[in-house]
Amino acid sequence: MTTVRGKSAVDGPPVRHSALRSSIGLIIAKGAQTGSGFAFWVVAAHAASDREVGLTTAAVSAVLICAQLAVLGAGSAVIVSVGRGEPPARVLDAAFAIVGVASTVLALGYLVLQLTAAPDTASTSVLFWLMFLVAAVTGTMGTVLDQALVALGRGASATLRYTMGGGVSLGAAALVAWLAHPAAADLLMACWTLGTALTCIVGVIQLRRLVGYRPRPSLHPARGRPLLMLGIPNQLLTLTERAPGLVLPLLLAHMVSPEAAAYWYPAWMMAWAAYTAPMLMGIVQFSEGVRDPGRLVSTTWATLRWSLAIGGLGAVVLIVFARPLLHLLGDRYADASAGALRWLAAGVVAYAVLQAYNAVCRARGRYVEAITVGVVLAAALCISALSAAGSGPSAMALTWLVVLSIGALVVGIRLIAVLRRVKQEVR
């Protein structure tokens, strides 16, 4: 059988899974990623000094920021374009070309900027620079792959690739801890990058099996311009959601101390495990809202209920077992960060409301409103948390929770009003 470019590798279009199945599969995948990531930092904490761990967490945060910036909303644009019936191959070729160039430029720019602005904490290791570049490019492409497979109704396929990637990173870190104790930051970064690269490679293989896709990146303006017009507004909105969590470890490492970043990051990383449920549910909600606008109201309430149920369960586990979980990193982490983890985990309810609101705004094209709200909330979160940094991670997290809850109350009221209007339009 011959595969036609842009068509499925099998007869007819790929079979879509239900929105709930895609959501649950994505959550399991991110749970596997977070679990293996936590285990990675447990091994790293025992394999290296607090300073090396702090520098690595700052580098990982920088990679995630570069990836978040470089994606340029391409993943969301893929969801919209595929949802409208455009050929997946053409859309993906343009998306991969755009994010590949953007992530390379941003990663190199960050490394040069760090070397100039913060030479005391910047790495000059060739291995570190190479791993940073690879992680930024493959991490950005992985984001596009995630959302492309959601658009195709196969979000659950993420479970395999994130499990494999996380397992490889953890295994590499364990090997380094055994052979190179105490480990340097560049070796820890290499271990983390291996998993990110493998996750991307497996995703490309999954796309090929599903729709016969073979990557042929193209920067042709006729393909890239429409994608950017769809993607950039979504990108700006996503940045308002993710920037506070990504920026704070960097600010702590370079403005307070690497040790402060080392104590904050594990608490945030574990809390993010609970936050991923609303975030991933929101992506599927957005995708379904584009495909079937008439069911946006029912989809939103169903998604919010599941977000609160799954995210809330994760938050309860983190609150109850905060100290034992952090104790795996060492007594000093448990003493410094247990309170912070509990406060951050409690924020999952507010975060679920925010994600539901943003997903509705994406599906309805209400970007200016959502971006404005997001910028104000993101700035308030960062400023308030940094102002409390001198009092320790717990004070930072409590301040974070208060500000996030106030923001959720405001957008929750607005969400109800928007959905009422949508319901009237459908009638």
Side-chain angles (χ1 to χ4, degrees):
M1 179 177 59
T2 301
T3 299
V4 179
R5 183 162 172 76
K7 301 292 185 182
S8 176
V10 296
D11 294 333
V15 177
R16 294 184 63 87
H17 294 160
S18 68
L20 180 59
R21 180 173 176 180
S22 283
S23 298
I24 298 297
L26 278 172
I27 291 169
I28 293 173
K30 291 298 183 179
Q33 182 189 37
T34 303
S36 60
F38 174 67
F40 175 90
W41 293 113
V42 169
V43 173
H46 292 287
S49 67
D50 289 351
R51 176 178 175 80
E52 296 300 311
V53 173
L55 291 174
T56 307
T57 60
V60 169
S61 292
V63 165
L64 296 176
I65 291 173
C66 288
Q68 194 64 69
L69 291 171
V71 78
L72 295 174
S76 298
V78 168
I79 287 178
V80 175
S81 299
V82 173
R84 293 174 176 174
E86 295 184 31
R90 180 180 300 176
V91 175
L92 288 169
D93 283 345
F96 284 139
I98 290 169
V99 302
V101 172
S103 57
T104 301
V105 171
L106 281 172
L108 284 172
Y110 171 80
L111 290 169
V112 173
L113 177 63
Q114 184 191 34
L115 192 62
T116 304
D120 293 339
T121 54
S123 175
T124 56
S125 165
V126 173
L127 176 62
F128 181 90
W129 279 52
L130 179 61
M131 292 299 99
F132 192 98
L133 284 169
V134 172
V137 173
T138 57
T140 308
M141 290 185 173
T143 299
V144 176
L145 285 166
D146 285 347
Q147 299 195 14
L149 287 161
V150 167
L152 293 168
R154 292 301 184 95
S157 64
T159 303
L160 174 63
R161 61 182 178 273
Y162 281 112
T163 300
M164 292 179 64
V168 167
S169 287
L170 178 58
L175 184 63
V176 167
W178 180 37
L179 298 176
H181 187 280
D186 56 354
L187 286 178
L188 295 178
M189 189 67 191
C191 296
W192 188 79
T193 300
L194 283 175
T196 303
L198 179 62
T199 300
C200 179
I201 292 170
V202 173
V204 172
I205 294 172
Q206 289 175 323
L207 264 180
R208 180 174 178 178
R209 290 180 175 178
L210 182 63
V211 294
Y213 174 67
R214 291 180 174 84
R216 296 176 186 173
S218 170
L219 287 172
H220 195 287
R223 296 184 181 184
R225 191 180 299 112
L227 203 71
L228 289 174
M229 290 179 66
L230 284 172
I232 288 178
N234 281 283
Q235 166 74 354
L236 294 174
L237 180 53
T238 300
L239 286 176
T240 67
E241 298 172 354
R242 313 284 170 79
L246 296 175
V247 167
L248 270 178
L250 273 175
L251 295 177
L252 288 171
H254 298 299
M255 295 177 62
V256 182
S257 69
E259 289 78 10
Y263 292 137
W264 168 262
Y265 191 78
W268 169 251
M269 180 187 66
M270 291 185 206
W272 184 248
Y275 285 37
T276 52
M279 184 267 290
L280 296 170
M281 288 282 190
I283 292 174
V284 177
Q285 176 190 342
F286 166 43
S287 177
E288 294 300 312
V290 171
R291 288 185 62 253
D292 192 355
R295 299 184 65 249
L296 180 60
V297 175
S298 60
T299 300
T300 298
W301 292 125
T303 299
L304 182 57
R305 286 194 296 270
W306 279 103
S307 295
L308 292 173
I310 299 174
L313 178 61
V316 169
V317 171
L318 292 174
I319 290 170
V320 172
F321 296 103
R323 189 171 185 84
L325 287 170
L326 287 164
H327 185 73
L328 295 172
L329 295 169
D331 290 338
R332 59 193 185 279
Y333 287 92
D335 293 339
S337 306
L341 176 54
R342 294 188 179 102
W343 289 123
L344 289 171
V348 71
V349 175
Y351 195 73
V353 174
L354 178 64
Q355 287 297 313
Y357 167 77
N358 283 348
V360 168
C361 287
R362 291 178 197 272
R364 297 279 293 175
R366 305 177 70 93
Y367 296 114
V368 174
E369 173 186 329
I371 291 168
T372 302
V373 171
V375 168
V376 172
L377 182 57
L381 286 169
C382 287
I383 292 170
S384 61
L386 274 178
S387 68
S391 300
S394 294
M396 289 178 61
L398 177 57
T399 305
W400 176 288
L401 174 61
V402 171
V403 173
L404 182 62
S405 299
I406 293 172
L409 178 62
V410 173
V411 301
I413 294 171
R414 180 59 181 159
L415 174 63
I416 293 172
V418 172
L419 290 179
R420 283 177 178 171
R421 187 176 303 168
V422 172
K423 196 170 183 179
Q424 292 172 353
E425 292 175 359
V426 171
R427 288 176 181 174

